[in-house]
Amino acid sequence: MNAPTAVLPTVVIGAGPAGLAAAAHLAGRGMETLVLEAGPAAGSAVREWGHVRLFSTWSELVDPAAEKLLSPTGWTAPDGGTYPSGADWAEKYLQPLADVLGDKVRYGTTVTGVSRLGRDRIVDADREQQPFTVRVETADGTEERILARAVIDASGTWSTPSPIGADGLPALGEHAASTRISYRIPDLKDPAVRARYTGKRTAVIGSGASAFTALAALADVAKDEPGTHSVWILRRGISGSTFGGGTADQLPARGALGLAAKAAVDAGHADAVTGFRTEAIERGDGDRLILVGEDGRRLDPVDEIIVLTGLRPDLSFLSELRLGLDERLQAPTELAPLIDPNQHSCGTVYPHGHRELSHPETGVYLVGMKSYGRAPTFLAMTGYEQVRSVAAALAGDLEAADRVELTLPETGVCGGAGLFDDPAAARTDAGGCCATPEPALVQLGVGTPGPTASADEAPAGGCCGS
């Protein structure tokens, strides 16, 4: 006979920041938990971008329940006012936390499917009385089934970057050119990686913090290495918020990323191509790559392409569960309106918990980056509040689960990707918060006009940062 559901563990998928915080909160409530991590160490995805510095300080990156577990071990919290790299976060916080959790964390264990025991997604009969069955594959290829009372999916979105195509599909020729395309921020301190981009013309596709970081890093190389140049490709036009919230961002380091990208453009290390939606990648002379837009425009050849167009959730192993997901964002239906860039103008996302993260399948939660689906601007603090609420709900403490214990910082930016990509929004010249000019091919550099607001001031009377 199977064990009663009440004595089974809650399975947490992913030993990243949200997953380990979930385990800490569950442990703090005396609940059995098992964390399944596909990689060989805690924070395996974080380690892959270990060279990137976060724009949140240490004080915003350590979960309170996790700190409570760590403190008795002699662990000392890093200086709360400093900014760690991804490698720092993994080594100085995530791995020590996983070590404290001990055998509650299993490495080299990939989740390949989740369902109800003896029930596929069609069957109603006694569904909620059945435990969850979590199918896994270990590093040596062994398959195993684990029973669980609840499942918290904190596997993130790192493994599934979005492609180049503006329609959400790979551009024609994208797969064929894969050896010249990267979907990550390059580690230009690595000599081999630096050599790949030195003296080359690189297209950077994307409009968020990752693109800002890549542009600024490539500009640093260009200062020392002649011939190194970037082409920044945007689907939107240039506006006062193109470079993020700037000094209006309540996370100063996040605002500084946009200002660094603006400096790269103003210094002539990068050209900006606006209103460009990539349809195809063709081979040019000397095996260089030519980007072709949906409108027929063909850009000058580039040597390398860095694609930073966002991430998306892998839902394939959850296909036998009854999830309630928004048709646009692939985020939980109650959460989606809070984070949908098609709807948001100014401000930030409200803190949220178990109710916004619930699904028709009771006992399943998508948390952390994965809960946002395809939406951008997720913060670790958001994930920590999510799992605090979910753990309380699973423990039956609805008073604590419904209580909001977080205030998120404003971005200083109006609008989102969906709003800016709207052609009608691009033609707006009055009455809105952030008007976007007509798409165009422009070159920004020394002696040429920049965005509508300077790097050190926000437009008066509006909520848009520079």
Side-chain angles (χ1 to χ4, degrees), residues 207-208 236 239-242 244-245 338-349 376-377 410-422 425 432-436 462-465:
S207 59
R236 62 184 69 169
S239 77
S241 58
T242 295
L338 303 179
I339 60 176
D340 188 350
N342 290 289
Q343 299 181 26
H344 278 275
S345 178
C346 302
T348 191
V349 178
T377 63
E410 297 285 347
T411 65
V413 179
C414 301
L419 289 171
F420 285 128
D421 284 351
D422 183 357
C433 181
C434 298
T436 306
C463 59
C464 307

Side-chain angles (χ1 to χ4, degrees), residues 403-454:
R403 188 170 60 241
V404 175
E405 297 185 3
L406 174 67
T407 300
L408 290 169
E410 297 285 347
T411 65
V413 179
C414 301
L419 289 171
F420 285 128
D421 284 351
D422 183 357
R427 292 190 293 270
T428 300
D429 59 6
C433 181
C434 298
T436 306
E438 289 283 355
L441 175 63
V442 297
Q443 181 171 355
L444 299 180
V446 177
T448 60
T452 55
S454 67

Side-chain angles (χ1 to χ4, degrees), residues 15 50 82 88 124 171 229 254 264 278 316 402-403 423 431 434 446 454:
T82 60
D88 293 334
D124 289 335
H229 196 78
R254 181 171 59 187
T278 307
S316 60
D402 289 333
R403 188 170 60 241
C434 298
V446 177
S454 67

Side-chain angles (χ1 to χ4, degrees), residues 9 11-16 20 23 33-44 95 98-99 101-111 134-140 142-147:
V11 164
V12 178
I13 306 174
L20 291 174
T33 183
L34 178 62
V35 181
L36 304 177
E37 168 58 44
S44 292
Q95 192 61 57
D99 293 344
L101 291 166
D103 60 7
K104 296 181 185 297
V105 182
R106 287 179 52 179
Y107 302 110
T109 306
T110 301
V111 175
V134 182
R135 186 71 60 85
V136 303
E137 182 176 323
T138 60
D140 63 3
T142 302
E143 291 186 306
E144 183 182 346
R145 185 184 72 180
I146 299 170
L147 298 183

Side-chain angles (χ1 to χ4, degrees), residues 137-222:
E137 182 176 323
T138 60
D140 63 3
T142 302
E143 291 186 306
E144 183 182 346
R145 185 184 72 180
I146 299 170
L147 298 183
R149 68 176 292 257
V151 175
I152 299 175
D153 184 358
S155 60
T157 56
W158 177 253
S159 64
T160 46
S162 296
I164 292 175
D167 54 10
L169 302 174
L172 299 175
E174 184 169 344
H175 292 313
S178 61
T179 59
R180 310 281 286 283
I181 300 173
S182 172
Y183 299 86
R184 312 298 188 198
I185 299 170
D187 181 2
L188 296 174
K189 293 183 179 179
D190 182 323
V193 176
R194 188 181 180 92
R196 176 175 177 176
Y197 298 99
T198 295
K200 304 289 181 62
R201 181 176 169 86
T202 300
V204 177
I205 304 176
S207 59
S210 294
F212 295 161
T213 303
L215 287 166
L218 287 168
D220 284 341
V221 175

Side-chain angles (χ1 to χ4, degrees), residues 163-348:
I164 292 175
D167 54 10
L169 302 174
L172 299 175
E174 184 169 344
H175 292 313
S178 61
T179 59
R180 310 281 286 283
I181 300 173
S182 172
Y183 299 86
R184 312 298 188 198
I185 299 170
D187 181 2
L188 296 174
K189 293 183 179 179
D190 182 323
V193 176
R194 188 181 180 92
R196 176 175 177 176
Y197 298 99
T198 295
K200 304 289 181 62
R201 181 176 169 86
T202 300
V204 177
I205 304 176
S207 59
S210 294
F212 295 161
T213 303
L215 287 166
L218 287 168
D220 284 341
V221 175
K223 294 172 185 176
D224 301 322
E225 303 289 351
T228 305
H229 196 78
S230 301
V231 182
W232 185 21
I233 299 173
L234 301 115
R235 295 170 186 168
R236 62 184 69 169
I238 295 289
S239 77
S241 58
T242 295
F243 296 94
T247 55
D249 195 321
Q250 291 182 7
L251 289 179
R254 181 171 59 187
L257 287 176
L259 300 182
K262 181 180 184 298
V265 172
D266 286 347
H269 298 308
D271 301 330
V273 178
T274 64
F276 191 89
R277 297 168 183 265
T278 307
E279 180 177 82
I281 301 172
E282 298 179 356
R283 295 280 179 171
D285 295 337
D287 207 33
R288 301 182 85 193
L289 304 176
I290 298 173
L291 294 171
V292 182
E294 292 178 351
D295 57 4
R297 279 188 291 167
R298 299 166 63 85
L299 302 185
D300 291 339
V302 297
D303 302 290
E304 298 284 343
I305 300 174
I306 299 173
V307 185
L308 300 167
T309 53
L311 303 162
R312 54 183 60 177
D314 176 8
L315 302 168
S316 60
F317 61 87
L318 303 177
S319 62
E320 292 306 316
L321 297 178
R322 298 176 177 180
L323 302 181
L325 298 175
D326 179 74
E327 64 272 16
R328 292 178 293 276
L329 300 183
Q330 296 177 298
T333 52
E334 294 299 315
L335 173 60
L338 303 179
I339 60 176
D340 188 350
N342 290 289
Q343 299 181 26
H344 278 275
S345 178
C346 302
T348 191

